[in-house]
Amino acid sequence: MARRVRAWLAALILAAAAASPGAAQQDPVSLPPLVLTLDQERLFAQSRAAGQIGAEIERRSAELAAENRRIEAELSAEELELTEQRPDLPPDEFRALADAFDAKVQRLRNEQDAKERELQRLREEERQNFLRRITPILTELARERGALVILERRTVILSADSIDITDAAIARIDEAFATEESAPEDGETPEDGETPDPTPESD
C-alpha cells in the first residue's frame, strides 16, 4: 500500500512538472517546488505577531477561568451549608431550598458556558483576521519559491522538509508586523527634535 502511495505521488509530481510552463527546457532536478506546506498551529504558537494579537483574548480567558473557580467555590460552600441545615428543616422547606439551589447552579452554568462560547468565537475571529492580514506575505513567499499552492502540513500524508515554509513565514510575518508598529502615525513628528518653521520671521 505504501509503495502505491509513493508511486501515485511521484506520478502526480511528474505530471505537474510536465504541465508547468518551460518544463521541457529546464533540468527537472532544478525545478522549484509546485507545492509548499505550512504548519498553522506552529505559526500561531511561535509567531510573536500572532501572540500579540491574541493577548487580549488570552487575558479574558484567564479572567473567565478565575471567575469559574470562584463560582465553583461559592457553590460548594452553599451546598455544604444547605446539607448541614437539612436535619433542622421541614422536608417541604428543604426541598424548596434545594430546588432553588439547583436552578441557581444551572443558571450560572449556562451563563459561564455562554461566555466561553463567546470567547471561542472571538478567538476564531481574531485567527481569521490574522490569516487575512498575512495572506500577502504568504503569497510573496510562494511567488519567490515558484510555488502554485500552500497546503496545511498536518493534512499532507508525505512531504519533504525542504518545502515547509513555517519558519520563513514566522520570520517574515514578525518582521512585517514590527515594521508596521514602528512606523509613525499620520501627523506625527519625530520626538528627537521639532520641525523648524520654514516661514522666515519678518523684521
Side-chain angles (χ1 to χ4, degrees), residues 53-187:
I53 290 175
E56 175 62 19
I57 299 298
E58 295 307 316
R59 183 188 67 80
R60 294 177 61 177
S61 179
E63 289 181 351
L64 180 60
E67 185 178 47
N68 287 338
R69 290 191 296 269
R70 176 181 58 79
I71 291 175
E72 182 180 1
E74 292 176 353
L75 290 177
S76 296
E78 187 172 344
E79 183 181 24
L80 178 60
E81 181 181 359
L82 185 61
T83 301
E84 292 174 347
Q85 291 178 348
R86 181 171 187 173
D88 302 326
L89 294 175
D92 292 344
E93 184 176 347
F94 174 79
R95 174 50 52 192
L97 291 174
D99 290 344
F101 176 76
D102 290 341
K104 179 180 179 179
V105 170
Q106 187 60 45
R107 174 178 58 81
L108 290 172
R109 181 181 293 115
N110 292 339
E111 291 175 356
Q112 298 308 107
D113 287 347
K115 293 178 182 179
E116 179 63 31
R117 288 193 299 271
E118 175 63 13
L119 269 182
Q120 292 292 343
R121 186 192 68 78
L122 289 175
R123 184 178 288 108
E124 183 59 28
E125 186 177 283
E126 289 292 338
R127 188 184 183 102
Q128 293 304 317
N129 288 338
F130 179 73
L131 289 175
R132 279 192 291 270
R133 290 184 65 183
I134 67 174
T135 294
I137 299 174
L138 298 180
T139 301
E140 182 180 7
L141 283 171
R143 184 168 56 248
E144 290 173 357
R145 289 160 171 75
L148 303 178
V149 65
I150 300 177
L151 300 178
E152 165 56 50
R153 179 164 185 169
R154 296 169 185 268
T155 65
V156 177
I157 298 175
L158 180 66
S159 68
D161 291 339
S162 59
I163 69 172
D164 182 77
I165 61 168
T166 306
D167 290 333
I170 291 173
R172 187 76 62 89
I173 290 166
D174 286 347
E175 179 182 1
F177 276 60
T179 302
E180 289 180 7
E181 292 173 357
S182 61
E185 298 181 1
D186 293 341

